[in-house]
Amino acid sequence: MSEVSRVSPDEWDVWRVFFSMRKHLDLALERQLQRDAGISLPDYEILLALFESAGNQLRARELGAHVGWEKSRLSHQVTRMERRGLVKRSDCDTDGRGTWVGITADGRRAILGAMRDHATTIRRYFFDVLTEDEQVVLRNVSGRVLDAIDPPCEELDDEARDQEGEHDLAV
Amino acid sequence: MSEVSRVSPDEWDVWRVFFSMRKHLDLALERQLQRDAGISLPDYEILLALFESAGNQLRARELGAHVGWEKSRLSHQVTRMERRGLVKRSDCDTDGRGTWVGITADGRRAILGAMRDHATTIRRYFFDVLTEDEQVVLRNVSGRVLDAIDPPCEELDDEARDQEGEHDLAV
DNA sequence: CAAGATTGACGTGTCAATCTTA
DNA sequence: TAAGATTGACACGTCAATCTTG
């Protein structure tokens, strides 16, 4: 901890610009996906996970873990996407409680276009304006912020810490 | 543009960690505000703008410009906050179309607590884990990303560019 | 008509039940 | 009981009307 939890004017300046950048980058990514592939960022995350899975389908539980969402959020999202024909639910034979979520032909078409355009946008707005050194700084800083928020040890210090830099995948 | 708009595995790694950091930092800030002051991040932005304004009230139009929102978003938010007693609407005498939005006693109490705790959280999760050099890098990088998304000149090159690093304030 | 503002419909996200099956 | 999943209520955010006043 520093002195008295004060944030200096210079620091506020850094924070404001960083905060604004996050917002604008999010918006730009969402606008691009909507325009080029007709899907949202949440749609993209779901479709990508299904597209990369064996058999193009996953149990709801697995899918949720993959994108790092809780089950109710996933259920709502899948309901909306099923309504638009991007994914399809089906019952699980081996577990009466389970549900499979699979990608449809329309969903596959959408994600294929989206992946290409999404990468282009990220490159244009992000990597094209960063030097390699800055990328390294950004990765290190991000990792440290994640550790500060959600400490990998958290009060156990000598507990099992088999996995270190995980936090969550997504995108 | 670079080669063929490709994003390398190393770059994806940077992107994933950065993206995850943004999400977790947002969540941490929201959880803290909710827990310590009973308000959300949008509530915070509105209350802060009103708190810092002369007379603790602003025309809806001005308030919207201040936080960088469009009018309908602002109207919905103010409606919700008015329901919870954090702000209060009143008619404008000099312009029959206008509306004043003012902060209430409850709103003032909330923002006073929130400002202190919010700064503490930002310090703890953000500035305490960044060196000064990294802060500089972050500010420069953020500014460049903002320029890439929303070019300050945008096809005019020799047009009036009185204001340079604005983009938007907020928080 | 244009500006200031509200409303309704809908997509997104969280939390607290709820329901069924293991 | 607990795990897998859905639902309902509500907060947040965008877009396209709409309504009133300048």
Side-chain angles (χ1 to χ4, degrees):
Chain A
M1 295 304 126
S2 2
E3 306 102 46
V4 175
S5 289
R6 295 283 292 161
V7 175
S8 75
D10 274 2
E11 287 172 332
W12 275 123
D13 187 54
V14 173
W15 178 254
R16 273 197 312 98
V17 178
F18 170 69
F19 198 83
S20 179
M21 181 268 280
R22 277 190 310 167
K23 259 190 323 196
H24 285 250
L25 190 52
D26 262 353
L27 278 177
L29 290 171
E30 261 159 36
R31 271 198 303 267
Q32 173 268 312
L33 279 176
Q34 196 62 55
R35 184 169 53 76
D36 297 341
I39 63 176
S40 66
L41 208 41
D43 292 338
Y44 179 84
E45 295 188 57
I46 294 297
L47 291 176
L48 184 61
L50 293 177
F51 180 73
E52 288 177 335
S53 68
N56 285 334
Q57 63 172 10
L58 285 172
R59 286 284 299 270
R61 186 78 182 71
E62 250 110 38
L63 180 52
H66 223 283
V67 294
W69 298 356
E70 52 176 342
K71 53 192 180 179
S72 81
R73 176 179 177 187
L74 182 72
S75 184
H76 284 304
Q77 183 68 28
V78 168
T79 298
R80 289 186 296 257
M81 292 176 73
E82 196 170 24
R83 204 151 52 212
R84 288 186 291 141
L86 295 171
V87 299
K88 199 170 64 67
R89 273 192 250 243
S90 51
D91 291 340
C92 178
D93 293 337
T94 61
D95 187 335
R97 301 167 300 181
T99 303
W100 287 100
V101 182
I103 192 169
T104 64
D106 276 0
R108 191 187 321 279
R109 249 189 305 279
I111 191 60
L112 280 170
M115 285 169 73
R116 179 175 31 75
D117 297 329
H118 194 57
T120 301
T121 305
I122 290 174
R123 164 150 297 294
R124 173 140 66 105
Y125 293 152
F126 194 72
F127 289 111
D128 276 356
V129 300
L130 264 70
T131 66
E132 288 199 13
D133 285 351
E134 288 170 338
Q135 292 183 29
V136 171
V137 169
L138 206 57
R139 189 180 46 210
N140 292 342
V141 161
S142 297
R144 248 177 286 136
V145 171
L146 281 169
D147 286 345
I149 293 173
D150 188 19
C153 36
E154 180 86 66
E155 306 297 315
L156 10 96
D157 283 338
D158 39 19
E159 267 301 331
R161 313 222 254 107
D162 315 303
Q163 352 98 284
E164 199 61 352
E166 327 271 292
H167 297 298
D168 91 23
L169 13 167
V171 162
Chain B
M1 295 302 126
S2 1
E3 304 101 49
V4 174
S5 289
R6 294 285 292 162
V7 175
S8 73
D10 274 3
E11 287 173 332
W12 274 122
D13 187 53
V14 173
W15 177 255
R16 274 198 311 99
V17 178
F18 170 69
F19 197 82
S20 180
M21 182 269 279
R22 275 190 312 165
K23 259 192 320 197
H24 284 251
L25 190 52
D26 262 352
L27 277 177
L29 290 171
E30 261 159 37
R31 270 198 304 267
Q32 172 268 312
L33 280 176
Q34 196 61 55
R35 183 169 53 75
D36 296 342
I39 64 176
S40 66
L41 208 42
D43 293 338
Y44 179 84
E45 295 188 58
I46 294 297
L47 291 177
L48 184 61
L50 293 177
F51 180 73
E52 288 178 336
S53 68
N56 285 335
Q57 64 173 9
L58 285 172
R59 286 285 297 270
R61 185 77 182 71
E62 249 109 40
L63 180 52
H66 224 284
V67 294
W69 298 357
E70 51 176 341
K71 52 191 182 178
S72 80
R73 176 179 177 187
L74 182 71
S75 183
H76 284 304
Q77 183 68 30
V78 168
T79 298
R80 287 187 296 259
M81 291 176 73
E82 197 170 24
R83 204 151 53 212
R84 287 186 292 142
L86 295 171
V87 300
K88 200 170 63 68
R89 274 191 249 241
S90 51
D91 291 340
C92 177
D93 293 337
T94 60
D95 187 337
R97 302 167 300 180
T99 304
W100 287 101
V101 181
I103 193 169
T104 64
D106 276 1
R108 193 187 320 280
R109 250 190 304 281
I111 191 61
L112 281 170
M115 285 169 74
R116 180 174 32 72
D117 297 329
H118 195 57
T120 303
T121 305
I122 290 174
R123 165 149 297 295
R124 174 141 66 103
Y125 293 153
F126 194 72
F127 289 110
D128 277 355
V129 301
L130 264 70
T131 67
E132 289 199 12
D133 285 351
E134 287 170 339
Q135 291 182 30
V136 171
V137 168
L138 206 56
R139 189 181 47 209
N140 292 342
V141 161
S142 297
R144 246 177 287 137
V145 171
L146 281 169
D147 286 345
I149 293 173
D150 188 19
C153 35
E154 181 85 66
E155 306 297 315
L156 8 97
D157 282 337
D158 39 18
E159 265 304 330
R161 314 221 254 106
D162 316 304
Q163 352 97 285
E164 199 62 350
E166 326 272 288
H167 297 300
D168 91 25
L169 14 167
V171 162

